[in-house]
């Protein structure tokens, strides 16, 4: 019989895996982010963090999630055509999965995954490197999986002690301050100029597909 202490995290990991699989498939086939599936994955991640690190760990993870999410949103608004409407939420989910303890390692992994994906994707489409829109989920979902794996391995005491030296120091006061600053920044973005909507664009994290290119 499976102990309840093991059944809960196992169930949460299963929910995360299935939900992120849906997100990945949608982004690959339609260049869209499935907000519903991503929301389910994020909720399960938060529940897993609460189980593993308690309310303080969840607060820190939420605070860290604002950093990549808001940076991506700012880039999306002020560098039109570089990323889709749903990509900032993918970056925020990446920050949530990583939290302060695994953020640096996860970001490095995401950059490596992204470079490989961009190279392979561009080659397959016969375009120059970074000359083709790339589904962000193809790089970010594996990075999220790495972050969740690191959490589970660390919870079992399997991570080398040196890994903890890469953690981003964050106390509750810093976390609250970061959340407050993120809210103010988001409000500023909301008040700022918006780029015109792409003709025919749909809701649901739509990517503006380049001319002559199929999703």
């Amino acid at each position: 019989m499976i102990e309840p202490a093991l059944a809960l995290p196992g169930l949460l990991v299963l929910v995360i895996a299935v939900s992120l699989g849906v997100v990945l498939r949608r982004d690959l086939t339609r260049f869209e982010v499935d907000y519903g599936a991503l929301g389910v994955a994020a909720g399960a991640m938060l529940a897993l963090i609460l189980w593993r690190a308690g309310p303080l760990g969840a607060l820190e993870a939420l605070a860290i999630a604002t950093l990549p999410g808001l940076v991506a949103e700012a880039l999306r608004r002020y560098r039109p055509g570089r990323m889709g409407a749903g990509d900032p939420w993918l970056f925020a989910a990446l920050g949530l999965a990583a939290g302060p303890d695994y953020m640096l390692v996860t970001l490095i992994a995401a950059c490596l995954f992204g470079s490989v994906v961009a190279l392979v994707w561009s080659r397959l489409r016969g375009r120059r490197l970074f000359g083709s829109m790339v589904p962000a989920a193809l790089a970010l979902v594996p990075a999220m999986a790495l972050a969740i794996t690191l959490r589970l391995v660390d919870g079992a005491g399997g991570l080398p002690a040196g890994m903890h030296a890469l953690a981003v120091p964050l106390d509750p006061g810093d976390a609250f301050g970061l959340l407050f600053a993120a809210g103010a920044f988001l409000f500023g973005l909301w008040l700022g100029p918006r780029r015109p909507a792409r003709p025919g664009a749909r809701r649901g994290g739509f990517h503006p597909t380049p001319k002559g290119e199929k999703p």
Side-chain angles (χ1 to χ4, degrees):
M1 184 175 177
I2 300 177
E3 295 181 17
L6 296 177
L8 177 60
L11 178 61
L12 291 173
V13 168
L14 179 62
V15 170
I16 293 170
V18 172
S19 301
L20 289 181
V22 172
V23 171
L24 183 57
R25 182 178 180 277
R26 180 77 168 265
D27 205 13
L28 274 172
T29 56
R30 299 181 60 182
F31 274 104
E32 289 180 353
V33 173
D34 189 319
Y35 289 136
L38 186 60
V40 171
M45 287 178 197
L46 193 58
L48 186 63
I49 295 167
L50 278 167
W51 170 82
R52 165 74 181 82
L56 179 57
L59 174 67
E60 292 174 346
L62 285 170
I64 289 294
T66 63
L67 294 176
L70 287 177
V71 169
E73 176 62 14
L75 288 173
R76 186 186 75 83
R77 284 177 178 250
Y78 297 111
R79 298 283 292 174
R82 299 288 179 175
M83 78 175 54
D87 289 348
W89 294 103
L90 283 173
F91 280 95
L94 178 68
L96 178 65
D101 291 338
Y102 319 104
M103 192 65 208
L104 290 179
V105 175
T106 304
L107 279 179
I108 292 170
C111 290
L112 291 174
F113 293 154
S115 299
V116 172
V117 166
L119 176 62
V120 173
W121 192 266
S122 301
R123 290 279 184 175
L124 289 175
R125 302 225 162 184
R127 294 173 178 268
R128 61 180 175 81
L129 184 60
F130 304 118
S132 176
M133 177 69 80
V134 177
L138 207 53
L140 297 184
V141 166
M144 289 181 218
L146 173 65
I148 295 299
T149 302
L150 288 174
R151 284 188 179 278
L152 295 174
V153 173
D154 195 14
L159 277 187
M163 285 287 292
H164 296 286
L166 298 174
V168 178
L170 195 70
D171 59 34
D174 294 334
F176 277 116
L178 192 54
L179 287 171
F180 178 79
F185 184 64
L186 188 61
F187 184 66
L189 283 179
W190 179 73
L191 290 178
R194 296 165 179 261
R195 66 173 177 151
R198 181 183 184 275
R202 296 161 287 172
R203 300 185 68 176
F206 179 73
H207 286 266
T209 308
K211 245 183 179 180
E213 182 169 330
K214 294 181 180 179

